[in-house]
Amino acid sequence: MNDAIQVDGLKKNYGNHPVLKGLDFNVIEGEIFALLGINGAGKTTALECIEGLRKYDGSVTVTGKVGIQLQSASLPAHIRAMEAVRLFAKWNRAKADGSMLAALGIDTLAKKQYAGLSTGQKRRLHLALALIGEPDIVILDEPTAGLDVNGRISLHDHIRGLKAQGKTILLASHDMAEVESLCDRIAILSGGELIFLGTPDELTAKVGRRCVIHIKTAQGGESFETDNLADTMLALLERYRQRKIAVLDIKIDRGTLEQHFIDMAGRCGA
């Protein structure tokens, strides 16, 4: 497997304040790779360095054509969606793929002005503009921020479709459920440093799989956290039996990627 992006010793300072403190990671061709971190961790700065929007120290090698959907992007208020598509196609000296525009629903927005589009429609338009010219690598910064549930599901489907076409996806996100659903590997940043690099399952294995057991009885409800589901369940049920308290319902919430991320960030002083 070849690397689409190779980052070695990436550093970035704003004045005397170090934002990135020497990042080393690679993004493999055809994978969906996520940069995670709380606000101020450095993920957007890292993306901007990779995109060539900021000067930096270290080495970044990008192999292939890149399409970018920025976290904050805007177009002239009165430009129509298809006018923006034609403009970007001209800049890229390429034709816009009609099937791609149809899949993103841009054809239905053709005559609508940018200012009149909803957040979800703007996100879809921004993604379409990033895909003009058929890039090999697509960089997405908070791609579903501000979208409703249906909009998020739709955009996730489009991102999976890009992967199925063999494109490499690099994204930054705050949405852990999104990352768990979409991504092959993740990198977690804290204070400008890389504190984890691997698959979601490897993260789970590293920090443990915490479960929360919710037990409802006639006397009310109680919740218990555990890393050992079987032993804890047996002990709790035996305790209720000895106290002659009837258990009416049991619900188990298994550990999510978000819990693991919070645990790891907390351990690293984020």
Side-chain angles (χ1 to χ4, degrees), residues 215-261:
I215 297 181
K216 181 180 179 181
T217 70
Q219 298 179 5
E222 293 183 284
S223 297
F224 308 88
E225 291 189 6
T226 180
D227 290 322
N228 189 327
L229 180 59
D231 288 350
T232 303
M233 278 294 301
L234 290 173
L236 287 173
L237 292 175
E238 177 61 20
R239 188 179 78 176
Y240 284 116
R241 187 189 67 80
Q242 291 180 357
R243 293 165 61 186
K244 297 181 180 181
I245 298 175
V247 174
L248 304 178
D249 188 33
I250 298 175
K251 180 182 177 182
I252 299 172
D253 291 331
R254 297 186 180 275
T256 64
L257 186 63
E258 182 168 14
Q259 290 171 338
H260 302 328
F261 167 70

Side-chain angles (χ1 to χ4, degrees), residues 81-151:
M82 197 53 68
E83 289 174 340
V85 168
R86 288 195 291 268
L87 179 61
F88 273 66
K90 186 173 183 178
W91 282 342
N92 283 273
R93 298 179 181 178
K95 281 189 175 183
D97 181 349
S99 60
M100 178 272 290
L101 296 177
L104 288 170
I106 306 304
D107 51 348
T108 65
L109 309 176
K111 296 182 180 181
K112 290 188 176 182
Q113 294 183 338
Y114 184 76
L117 299 180
S118 68
T119 299
Q121 290 169 336
K122 288 178 179 178
R123 289 283 180 181
R124 286 192 279 123
L125 177 58
H126 295 161
L127 180 56
L129 298 179
L131 295 176
I132 290 176
E134 298 187 357
D136 307 295
I137 302 166
V138 183
I139 299 179
L140 309 172
D141 196 352
E142 303 289 349
T144 58
L147 297 188
D148 60 19
V149 173
N150 289 334

Side-chain angles (χ1 to χ4, degrees), residues 45-90:
T45 298
L47 286 189
E48 291 173 344
C49 291
I50 293 170
E51 293 160 353
L53 299 177
R54 295 191 182 276
K55 294 181 179 180
Y56 57 84
D57 294 317
S59 173
V60 175
T61 303
V62 178
T63 304
K65 188 175 182 180
V66 179
I68 301 170
Q69 182 195 43
L70 298 174
Q71 181 179 15
S72 298
S74 186
L75 294 168
H78 300 298
I79 193 170
R80 300 182 189 279
M82 197 53 68
E83 289 174 340
V85 168
R86 288 195 291 268
L87 179 61
F88 273 66
K90 186 173 183 178

Side-chain angles (χ1 to χ4, degrees), residues 178-239:
E178 173 175 270
V179 169
E180 191 166 19
S181 170
L182 291 175
C183 295
D184 301 297
R185 289 193 302 146
I186 58 178
I188 298 178
L189 303 182
S190 178
E193 297 180 311
L194 193 66
I195 61 172
F196 176 81
L197 177 63
T199 67
D201 285 344
E202 288 170 342
L203 176 58
T204 297
K206 187 176 181 68
V207 300
R209 182 173 289 279
R210 181 200 308 163
C211 296
V212 180
I213 304 169
H214 306 279
I215 297 181
K216 181 180 179 181
T217 70
Q219 298 179 5
E222 293 183 284
S223 297
F224 308 88
E225 291 189 6
T226 180
D227 290 322
N228 189 327
L229 180 59
D231 288 350
T232 303
M233 278 294 301
L234 290 173
L236 287 173
L237 292 175
E238 177 61 20
R239 188 179 78 176

